[in-house]
Amino acid sequence: MLTIKNLHASIEGTPILKGINLEIKAGEIHAIMGPNGSGKSTLASVLAGREEYEVTEGEVNFKGKDLLDLAPEDRAREGVFLAFQYPVEIPGVSTTNFLRTAVNQVREYRGQDPLDAVKFLSVMKEKMKLVEIDQKLLSRSLNEGFSGGEKKRNEIFQMAMLEPTLSILDETDSGLDIDALKIVSNGVNKLKTSETATIVVTHYQRLLDYIVPDFVHVLYNGRIVKSGTKDLALELEEKGYDWIKEEADAASV
Amino acid sequence: MSKDNQILEEFTSKEYEHGWSVNYEADEAPIGLNEDIIRWISAKKEEPQWLLDWRLKAFKAWLDMKEPEWANVTYPKIDLQALRYYSAPKQSKKPKNLDEIDPELLQIYERLGISLNEQKRLQGIAVDAVLDSVSVGTTFKETLSKLGIVFCSFSEAVQEHPELIKKYLGSVVPMTDNYYAALNSAVFSDGSFCYIPSGVRCPMELSTYFRINAANTGQFERTLIVAEDDSYVSYLEGCTAPQRDENQLHAAVVEIYAAKNAEVKYSTVQNWFPGDKNGKGGIYNFVTKRGICAGDNSKISWTQVETGSAVTWKYPSCILKGDNSVGEFYSVAVTNNYQQADTGTKMIHIGKNTKSRIVSKGISAGHSQNSYRGQVQVMKRATNARNFSQCDSLLMGSKCGAHTFPYIDIQNSSAMVEHEATTSKIGEDQLFYCNQRGISSEDAVALIVNGYAKEVLNQLPMEFAVEAQKLLALTLEGSVG
């Protein structure tokens, strides 16, 4: 579904990603871990099309299309979803109104009829259950005054509404207490099918107890320096990142 | 260059939708301004002597007045001698009812989406249509007159209800109030008059639709609304003009009188031609709007959505004379390209326990300048006066400006006055977030702007609110991506 080849990206001239290679197939969950500043969030942003990042080399193929060639909104319409680490507030625009605009633009792109208000609400009611989100929250201004947990739940709710094929969760666990973490993970797991894939960007192994990855990759200094299974995450939890850094630094000398 | 700047760089304005004009045979005054022109207009309208005298008095006063220069706008001096002060569609005979109006004129309004055909009208709105200098027709007159409500063109009111006009004309905005009000008093040609008798709640929205068609013609209309004791009326005003290279002047006066327990709600969606994207042409909109809450417990509420005009100079105000009276001002002012707006309100607290509320939302894009200018004045005997003001500015891009000029004058120590102001930018983060959900940049801006202006848009009557939302999106269309 997604093939990343030798991806290099920089921000304001500073290289952050220095040759990422990754292959993700439908039905898989990949965890991207790594110490602070290793480029995890940059990778998520570059895939979603954030323009401050300049791709200097490499290619990304998504379902047979050149992803890097698409505008951010077209990537979303093609099925790429990014759950933001820091969801943005939009005063005066309710989540419901926001999502209705989004869902209908995505549907239009996919050649589907727009959902009328009644149909939209019924779809919404069904998806609300997945993340146990309250309808009252959805009629409030998007993310304005939401708690950290509410914001993250709202991200996963939006993911449920937009039915992406590739979901990228950017540190969705940060700022969540254990109950909220369970609810969010539960939602993600329920949304997973054999047709979809998920990239989980995280700092801690804790989240991976709930969203169990097929593969774990360690990003360090803009490269994937180690890949493995869930056991790698456990090892990192136990030993920290230093041994990986040492290994990688030794190899690059 | 960041995406934000880049997309704002690509600023192109959507063509103004109402920029067309129609050639009709016109009955026009000669170009220029002098006593004879005023006599000509007055004679044309078969006015009584007292009104001509009133006009001439205003003209004399105006000759000694100077154009105000304190507003935060710049424009070349207007040559008032080069303008025409009266232009009206020639009609073979005076239409007695809507059926007799020239179909060609009706078509102008049809094209604007305003049907003067009562059968086709949506329930609930009566319209007075003003084309250049005259009113071409008023709908639902008979339905309203059964309730004792007078809703007609100003000229007709002068003929049919001279006692009311004599009593209220200039009572809220004195003829010498300011340069443009004095000019309007001298040369005004038509407008709407509305009278709601005691105890009557007007069952439908009353509306005036102003259209400038002729070139080189100033539009000077007057609106007078009188709401007697315990009455209620909601009044709407809409306006458009053809797209012309030269600037055109629109200098209107609106007066509202609210007696004891009366409530008047006045909503404007102003969509005059704003000039092209290089700042050429457009309407100069120099308007004086004022209401007096003369009776106790009365209320006047102004709501305006300002998207058009090259230069706007407009401060709908309330004089809160009656005890417990309430004044409100809700405004969204959008400027794009090279538009300039200096707009706001004045709340003059005279009576006891008077309250005022100001919510102003400015949106600036392109190279435009958007200023809020507001005055809150609490007089000596206005015990327990309350004011709340909120002035927010939203900037799009880095070449526009937003300014706030609040003036506060308190002469009674029991007053409570609050002022809040914020300035924000449509952030790259907000746009990217919307994009990531599949929303195009253009729709994202419309969404964000409508959210920002929601508090004001919510004050508009339903049908108008939908129009205003579309208009906001249209005005800013092309402002990104």
Side-chain angles (χ1 to χ4, degrees), chain A residues 36 40-41 83-87 146-156 169-178 180-182 184-185 200-208 210-211:
Chain A
N36 283 332
K40 302 188 298 287
S41 285
F84 284 66
Q85 184 179 0
Y86 305 108
F146 285 25
S147 70
E150 285 170 335
K151 284 184 183 173
K152 295 301 170 77
R153 248 193 271 183
N154 190 11
E155 290 293 289
I156 305 306
L169 312 182
D170 188 7
E171 307 217 8
T172 296
D173 50 337
S174 69
L176 288 188
D177 61 30
I178 194 73
L181 186 69
K182 279 184 192 164
V184 164
S185 309
V200 184
V201 174
T202 182
H203 213 71
Y204 301 105
Q205 112 85 20
R206 188 178 70 154
L207 176 67
L208 305 181
Y210 300 99
I211 303 175

Side-chain angles (χ1 to χ4, degrees), chain A:
Chain A
M1 174 189 293
L2 182 78
T3 310
I4 304 175
K5 275 189 198 154
N6 192 31
L7 183 65
H8 287 69
S10 58
I11 185 161
E12 288 166 358
T14 309
I16 310 280
L17 302 182
K18 302 167 185 169
I20 302 272
N21 292 291
L22 190 62
E23 170 86 40
I24 294 177
K25 295 196 178 71
E28 294 178 347
I29 297 179
H30 290 243
I32 310 270
M33 301 185 73
N36 283 332
S38 57
K40 302 188 298 287
S41 285
T42 301
L43 178 60
S45 296
V46 168
L47 292 177
R50 208 176 180 123
E51 304 226 352
E52 302 97 285
Y53 296 96
E54 194 193 347
V55 174
T56 50
E57 215 182 316
E59 53 192 83
V60 180
N61 189 292
F62 176 65
K63 297 193 296 189
K65 286 192 176 148
D66 178 1
L67 189 71
L68 301 177
D69 201 34
L70 297 173
E73 58 269 32
D74 287 337
R75 297 183 196 197
R77 294 163 183 173
E78 286 287 344
V80 175
F81 181 90
L82 173 65
F84 284 66
Q85 184 179 0
Y86 305 108
V88 172
E89 297 179 0
I90 305 184
V93 178
S94 67
T95 304
T96 310
N97 187 13
F98 174 77
L99 265 179
R100 200 170 158 212
T101 309
V103 166
N104 283 335
Q105 291 211 356
V106 169
R107 289 180 67 89
E108 194 185 337
Y109 182 86
R110 296 176 185 167
Q112 297 163 309
D113 287 333
L115 293 179
D116 61 39
V118 178
K119 190 86 200 7
F120 180 81
L121 280 175
S122 81
V123 175
M124 214 173 82
K125 284 229 163 81
E126 183 194 313
K127 308 276 184 180
M128 273 158 47
K129 292 180 201 141
L130 280 173
V131 281
E132 300 172 31
I133 204 163
D134 191 10
Q135 188 154 9
K136 272 188 218 136
L137 197 69
L138 302 180
S139 45
R140 276 170 46 186
S141 289
L142 184 65
N143 291 324
E144 203 181 35
F146 285 25
S147 70
E150 285 170 335
K151 284 184 183 173
K152 295 301 170 77
R153 248 193 271 183
N154 190 11
E155 290 293 289
I156 305 306
F157 170 67
Q158 294 182 37
M159 174 176 147
M161 290 299 293
L162 291 163
E163 301 178 332
T165 38
L166 174 67
S167 303
I168 306 163
L169 312 182
D170 188 7
E171 307 217 8
T172 296
D173 50 337
S174 69
L176 288 188
D177 61 30
I178 194 73
D179 293 329
L181 186 69
K182 279 184 192 164
I183 292 169
V184 164
S185 309
N186 201 8
V188 173
N189 289 330
K190 279 189 197 153
L191 289 170
K192 191 182 169 275
T193 70
S194 59
E195 312 288 305
T196 63
T198 312
I199 298 176
V200 184
V201 174
T202 182
H203 213 71
Y204 301 105
Q205 112 85 20
R206 188 178 70 154
L207 176 67
L208 305 181
D209 285 340
Y210 300 99
I211 303 175
V212 182
D214 301 297
F215 300 96
V216 175
H217 310 279
V218 180
L219 202 60
Y220 173 61
N221 202 11
R223 284 191 196 94
I224 290 174
V225 292
K226 206 168 187 69
S227 294
T229 59
K230 166 133 182 45
D231 295 338
L232 177 59
L234 291 168
E235 200 178 347
L236 289 170
E237 172 87 349
E238 199 183 313
K239 304 203 310 207
Y241 286 110
D242 286 348
W243 64 280
I244 297 236
K245 290 185 193 172
E246 278 161 28
E247 261 185 40
D249 292 341
S252 67
V253 171

Side-chain angles (χ1 to χ4, degrees), chain A residues 49-52 73 76-77 80-82 84 88-89 91-93 98 102 105 143 155 158 162, chain B residues 2-3 6 428-430 432-441 443 447-448 450-452 454:
Chain A
R50 208 176 180 123
E51 304 226 352
E52 302 97 285
E73 58 269 32
R77 294 163 183 173
V80 175
F81 181 90
L82 173 65
F84 284 66
V88 172
E89 297 179 0
V93 178
F98 174 77
Q105 291 211 356
N143 291 324
E155 290 293 289
Q158 294 182 37
L162 291 163
Chain B
S2 75
K3 179 191 178 192
Q6 201 179 338
E428 211 165 316
D429 287 347
Q430 285 177 325
F432 179 65
Y433 191 82
C434 294
N435 288 157
Q436 212 301 307
R437 298 302 184 246
I439 301 172
S440 67
S441 297
D443 289 318
L447 202 65
I448 294 165
N450 275 309
Y452 166 79
K454 195 175 172 188

Side-chain angles (χ1 to χ4, degrees), chain B residues 211-232:
Chain B
R211 170 76 180 170
I212 295 178
N213 186 71
N216 296 322
T217 302
Q219 191 177 48
F220 301 90
E221 83 277 355
R222 279 191 94 93
T223 301
L224 174 59
I225 300 172
V226 178
E228 293 284 23
D229 292 356
D230 307 296
S231 67
Y232 168 84

